[in-house]
Amino acid sequence: MSIWVNQDTRLLVQGITGKEGQFHALQCLEYGTKVVAGVTPGKAGQDVVGIPVFNTVFDAVQATGANASMIFVPPAFAADAILEAADAGVGLIVCITEGIPIHDMLRVRRALQGSTSRLIGPNCPGIITPGACKVGIMPGFIHKPGSIGVISRSGTLTYEVVDQLSKAGLGQSTCIGIGGDPVNGTGFIDCLAAFAQDEQTTGIVMLGEIGGTAEEEAAAYIQAQVDKPVAGFIAGLTAPPGRHMGHAGAIVSGSRGSAAAKIKALEEAGVHICQDLGRLGRFCAEIFSG
């Protein structure tokens, strides 16, 4: 098994006629994902490398049975694109767009409460089940099918760690980049709960960073609900307090959200913390083979 995407996922791409949308739709298609439709208002009837384009998500779902969406819409229109996908009944919505205003995402969060749609992102690399389905911008070739679940707030950090895991002989069940914005859809706890229930997943790697309290909340959840081994890494251990470090959510205010606080909470929950990113693959091999 895997979580949320597999060989049966039928993907539509919102913004497929744009440069980024077209490029990554083709990359997903070449990886083996069933890319069945694209959506760009006013361009129905066209196609992108044989993928039919529709004016609305509703039309695309009705015509193709798409059940997942990948969004490459400019920030000012991305929130409405997410809501359009949810209104059309799309079960999984992956928003790659960076720079969506926080008040727009607060509107999206309220609208999705009680919805059957799951949002991953925004400002994320997406989700991949190696060998089966890629919905995102990650380099597919570094991933190997296996039994380790990966959750991360950082796209680049995800790629580095996945590459190390694969080289260490640890394939992945599913890898998810949840994004680094302060207001997003799926969080650490959602992913941990799904991996805890997934029979294929035998171990979990959690990659956090400074800012916010998501890692501390995840630590409490792990201690109470997860009986599979978890390895972790927190980026930003040497970050100066009060300075933005990449992601909008990655800022430390006083002692709140510091790397030290997150590491302490995770270690107390039984998570195996690696503080040397360069040897995380070998560290995980030792943890998960024990």
Side-chain angles (χ1 to χ4, degrees):
M1 293 177 65
S2 57
I3 67 170
W4 301 331
V5 295
N6 55 40
Q7 65 274 9
D8 297 324
T9 297
R10 296 176 65 79
L11 180 67
L12 67 85
V13 180
Q14 292 174 256
I16 195 171
T17 56
K19 181 180 177 182
E20 296 297 322
Q22 182 170 340
F23 176 80
H24 288 291
L26 182 57
Q27 292 291 305
C28 291
L29 189 66
E30 291 179 346
Y31 190 77
T33 304
K34 294 175 182 174
V35 185
V36 298
V39 174
T40 300
K43 297 192 176 180
Q46 299 183 16
D47 73 88
V48 173
V49 294
I51 303 167
V53 179
F54 298 84
N55 280 335
T56 69
V57 176
F58 180 82
D59 290 345
V61 170
Q62 292 298 307
T64 68
N67 55 16
S69 175
M70 181 169 65
I71 296 177
F72 290 94
V73 171
F77 310 106
D80 286 340
I82 295 170
L83 296 178
E84 182 187 354
D87 287 344
V90 176
L92 179 70
I93 304 166
V94 177
C95 185
I96 308 298
T97 304
E98 179 178 359
I100 301 177
I102 290 177
H103 66 268
D104 282 5
M105 283 309 302
L106 290 172
R107 177 165 60 91
V108 168
R109 174 176 284 183
R110 284 195 300 272
L112 292 185
Q113 288 177 349
S115 168
T116 57
S117 297
R118 170 174 299 284
L119 171 65
I120 296 178
N123 188 18
C124 77
I127 178 171
I128 181 170
T129 291
C133 181
K134 172 172 112 92
V135 181
I137 61 175
M138 67 288 286
F141 69 92
I142 64 173
H143 298 76
K144 304 294 181 186
S147 62
I148 305 302
V150 179
I151 320 163
S152 175
R153 285 171 67 180
S154 164
T156 307
L157 187 58
T158 309
Y159 311 153
E160 170 63 30
V161 171
V162 165
D163 186 51
Q164 288 190 34
L165 291 174
S166 294
K167 289 176 178 175
L170 297 172
Q172 306 91 47
S173 53
T174 299
C175 305
I176 310 157
I178 61 175
D181 281 6
V183 180
N184 61 4
T186 297
F188 280 126
I189 292 176
D190 301 304
C191 301
L192 289 164
F195 279 134
Q197 296 297 317
D198 178 40
E199 295 179 358
Q200 181 181 339
T201 301
T202 58
I204 303 167
V205 178
M206 179 178 148
L207 307 171
E209 61 185 18
I210 60 172
T213 59
E215 288 81 357
E216 288 91 333
E217 293 161 6
Y221 183 85
I222 291 168
Q223 190 165 33
Q225 302 290 340
V226 179
D227 59 3
K228 298 179 180 180
V230 181
F233 175 82
I234 301 295
L237 190 61
T238 60
R243 181 176 297 177
H244 284 279
M245 300 296 290
H247 286 147
I251 186 170
V252 177
S253 300
S255 61
R256 178 184 167 88
S258 70
K262 293 175 185 293
I263 290 171
K264 181 175 184 292
L266 289 165
E267 287 183 331
E268 289 177 352
V271 176
H272 304 275
I273 294 294
C274 179
Q275 296 196 19
D276 181 356
L277 178 60
R279 64 177 303 273
L280 187 54
R282 287 170 288 165
F283 179 85
C284 289
E286 295 166 3
I287 297 300
F288 297 130
S289 63

